[in-house]
């Protein structure tokens, strides 16, 4: 993320963050109730591939991370839905945790830049048949499953074939080629094409990855009126506004303003028509857009509305896993309002309910730091560091560096920053690599007088 959110991204991955238990419901070893949701093979691409080949089934791969709020939303609200159950026996299901170093080979083959990413793979040639990125509603996920089955059976029309090619390019990180193929798919699409929203979203993702922020913004503006479902409009609006935040200042600000107006109309669609996590992502993009446009009063008002929406949505959930879907965005909304203490009680409850999860204490440490409660921040960071593994340790150590710097322990802060960089050099996912580049720049500037804790 940019500007106001950059520290949240780099310190604790809150821009797409969520708390989740280390063993997901439905994973092998903790099977779900019969018929309730698919059973996933965990972090073993080779085993899943063998099973898919043996059973002559396509392979569905859910690529997630323990800090990803949209990942947990799909896990808690989409996969258990009765509409997904009929597909359980028609796929082999694999979950890949990008924070787990064991998945390095998979991530080199299928580079991931958006969480979650869901892939449908033909096990014979290991080719991508379908791809979606970011949060999803039940309807959007089922549409992907249906498309994946048609693709595996060779039952595709011209637009679908172009979409398969585009998804294959995008999954390989070839975003320039993907953009051309996505545009070709949209050109060939018939009226009412069920894959249109997914094609538009992944096109915007590839445009953003290719650095074409203006084209991404314009495409979102053009496509929004063509989408009928509220959830499709919401997702495209959120991704498009996120692209617009990278537009250069000047004339491009007017283009961003046009999209923001269209997106704010989308935000006023009936709440019950949109998955809460998708709606929250739109709030996130719009708050930052108002800040970037210099509308601090408007950003504050929208952040207030956002936080009320999050509290109300979390209050409707039953299990700790369902409630923690909203934790990352709660923190972002509270910090954007300058009221970190407001999110503390919810995060303390999450830590009690999920004692083996490093995400609640990591987020609490961030909140305590921003509130000036440095001793509490250090204790929460201690708890997070004892639980964190893989790429998560880099984020926790970097946050610890800022806490120590705020306490006046400059040598300890520098030591933690060096440890964070050392941990990050073993990570293979794109998010960690981007954070590593930033941390190395931060270390170079560490002795400069302007260096200050990330508060």
């Amino acid at each position: 993320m940019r500007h106001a959110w950059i520290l949240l991204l780099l310190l604790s991955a809150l821009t797409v963050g969520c708390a989740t238990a280390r063993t997901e419901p439905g994973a092998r070893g903790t099977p779900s109730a019969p018929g309730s949701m698919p059973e996933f093979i965990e972090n073993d691409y080779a085993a899943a591939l063998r099973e898919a080949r043996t059973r002559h089934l396509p392979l569905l791969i859910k690529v997630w991370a323990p800090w990803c709020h949209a990942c947990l939303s799909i896990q808690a609200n989409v996969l258990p839905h009765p509409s997904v159950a009929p597909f359980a026996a028609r796929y082999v299901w694999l979950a890949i945790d990008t924070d787990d170093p064991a998945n390095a080979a998979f991530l080199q083959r299928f580079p991931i830049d958006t969480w979650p990413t869901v892939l449908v793979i033909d096990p014979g040639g290991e080719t991508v048949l379908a791809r979606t990125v970011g949060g999803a509603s039940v309807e959007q996920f089922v549409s992907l499953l249906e498309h994946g089955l048609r693709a595996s059976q060779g039952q595709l029309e011209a637009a679908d074939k172009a979409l398969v090619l585009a998804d294959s390019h995008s999954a390989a990180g070839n975003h320039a080629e993907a953009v051309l193929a996505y545009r070709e798919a949209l050109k060939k699409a018939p009226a009412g094409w069920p894959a249109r929203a997914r094609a538009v979203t992944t096109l915007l993702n590839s445009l953003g990855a290719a650095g074409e922020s203006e084209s991404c913004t314009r495409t979102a503006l053009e496509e929004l009126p063509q989408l009928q479902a509220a959830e499709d409009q919401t997702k495209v609006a959120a991704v498009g506004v996120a692209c617009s935040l990278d537009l250069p200042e000047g004339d491009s600000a007017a283009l961003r303003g046009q999209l923001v107006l269209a997106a704010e109309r989308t935000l006023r669609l009936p709440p019950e028509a949109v998955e809460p996590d998708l709606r929250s992502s739109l709030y996130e993009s719009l708050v930052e857009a108002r800040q970037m446009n210099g509308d601090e009063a408007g950003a504050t008002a929208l952040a207030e509305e956002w936080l009320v929406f999050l509290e109300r949505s979390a209050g409707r959930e039953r299990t700790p896993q369902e409630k923690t879907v909203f934790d990352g965005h709660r923190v972002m909304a509270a910090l954007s309002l300058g009221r970190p203490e407001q999110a503390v009680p919810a995060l303390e409850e999450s830590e009690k309910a999920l004692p083996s999860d490093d995400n609640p204490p990591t987020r609490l440490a961030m909140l305590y730091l921003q509130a000036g409660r440095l001793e509490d921040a250090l204790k929460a960071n201690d708890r997070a560091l004892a639980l964190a593994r893989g790429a998560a340790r880099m984020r926790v150590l970097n946050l610890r560096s800022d806490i120590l710097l705020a306490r006046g322990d400059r040598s300890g802060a520098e030591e933690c920053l060096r440890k964070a960089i050392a941990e990050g050099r073993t990570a293979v996912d794109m998010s960690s690599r981007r954070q590593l580049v930033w941390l190395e720049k931060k270390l170079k500037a560490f002795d400069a007088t302007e260096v200050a804790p990330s508060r």
Side-chain angles (χ1 to χ4, degrees), residues 368-370 372-375 377 399-410 413 446 452-455:
Y368 291 145
L369 171 61
Q370 297 297 314
R373 295 169 56 180
L374 301 184
E375 293 307 313
L399 179 55
R400 189 177 189 83
S401 173
D402 284 325
I403 296 168
L404 291 174
L405 189 59
R407 296 174 79 238
D409 184 359
R410 196 172 186 81
F446 195 84
S454 301
R455 294 185 58 185

Side-chain angles (χ1 to χ4, degrees), residues 382-454:
D382 284 338
R383 300 193 299 273
L385 195 57
L387 296 169
R389 62 180 175 84
R393 290 182 56 82
M394 173 179 60
R395 296 186 289 272
V396 177
L397 284 166
N398 180 49
L399 179 55
R400 189 177 189 83
S401 173
D402 284 325
I403 296 168
L404 291 174
L405 189 59
R407 296 174 79 238
D409 184 359
R410 196 172 186 81
S411 62
E414 183 175 358
E415 181 183 356
C416 277
L417 186 57
R418 293 186 184 280
K419 286 181 179 178
I421 291 170
E423 298 271 357
R425 285 175 178 156
T426 67
V428 294
D429 67 279
M430 293 299 292
S431 175
S432 296
R433 289 177 182 175
R434 288 193 292 264
Q435 292 178 54
L436 180 60
V437 170
W438 186 83
L439 291 178
E440 288 173 337
K441 291 179 180 178
K442 180 179 175 181
L443 181 61
K444 287 181 180 179
F446 195 84
D447 290 330
T449 56
E450 69 268 22
V451 171
S454 301

Side-chain angles (χ1 to χ4, degrees), residues 158-160 183-196 199:
D160 295 310
R183 292 203 184 281
E184 185 67 17
L186 290 169
K187 187 187 301 182
K188 294 178 176 179
W193 186 39
R196 187 173 195 93

Side-chain angles (χ1 to χ4, degrees), residues 176-235:
E177 294 89 341
V179 166
L180 296 175
Y182 283 127
R183 292 203 184 281
E184 185 67 17
L186 290 169
K187 187 187 301 182
K188 294 178 176 179
W193 186 39
R196 187 173 195 93
R198 182 166 65 84
V200 171
T201 302
T202 43
L203 167 60
L204 297 180
N205 178 259
S206 285
L207 285 167
E212 298 185 35
S213 54
E214 182 172 345
S215 181
C216 179
T217 305
R218 291 190 185 279
T219 300
L221 262 173
E222 293 165 1
E223 289 290 339
L224 264 177
Q226 302 186 57
L227 302 173
Q228 299 301 314
E231 60 201 9
D232 292 338
Q233 294 176 45
T234 299
K235 186 169 183 177

Side-chain angles (χ1 to χ4, degrees), residues 147-202:
H147 177 87
L149 289 178
R150 290 197 304 273
S152 69
Q153 297 160 3
Q155 300 174 356
L156 296 178
E157 302 298 331
D160 295 310
K161 290 178 181 178
L163 180 56
V164 169
L165 177 61
D167 284 338
S168 180
H169 283 313
S170 186
N174 301 322
H175 291 291
E177 294 89 341
V179 166
L180 296 175
Y182 283 127
R183 292 203 184 281
E184 185 67 17
L186 290 169
K187 187 187 301 182
K188 294 178 176 179
W193 186 39
R196 187 173 195 93
R198 182 166 65 84
V200 171
T201 302
T202 43

Side-chain angles (χ1 to χ4, degrees), residues 207-332:
L207 285 167
E212 298 185 35
S213 54
E214 182 172 345
S215 181
C216 179
T217 305
R218 291 190 185 279
T219 300
L221 262 173
E222 293 165 1
E223 289 290 339
L224 264 177
Q226 302 186 57
L227 302 173
Q228 299 301 314
E231 60 201 9
D232 292 338
Q233 294 176 45
T234 299
K235 186 169 183 177
V236 167
V239 177
V241 173
C243 271
S244 77
L245 300 175
D246 287 326
L247 289 169
E249 294 303 317
D251 294 341
S252 297
L255 178 61
R256 181 169 61 240
Q258 293 176 48
L259 182 56
V260 165
L261 285 175
E264 289 182 342
R265 288 193 293 271
T266 300
L267 191 62
R268 303 310 165 197
L269 292 169
E272 64 273 12
V274 182
E275 178 71 29
D277 186 69
L278 293 177
R279 191 178 184 88
S280 184
S281 293
L282 181 54
Y283 271 113
E284 174 193 348
S285 294
L286 287 172
V287 167
E288 186 175 359
R290 286 189 177 186
Q291 289 177 331
M292 186 171 288
N293 289 339
D295 182 9
E296 290 298 331
T300 297
L302 194 60
E304 293 272 13
E305 181 182 316
W306 182 21
L307 192 54
V308 169
F309 167 76
L310 290 168
E311 296 295 347
R312 185 183 300 123
S313 298
R316 295 192 185 106
E317 304 297 349
R318 295 168 296 174
T319 69
Q321 287 81 5
E322 291 170 347
K323 291 180 183 295
T324 55
V325 168
F326 304 98
D327 280 357
H329 276 170
R330 272 171 163 160
V331 172
M332 293 180 73

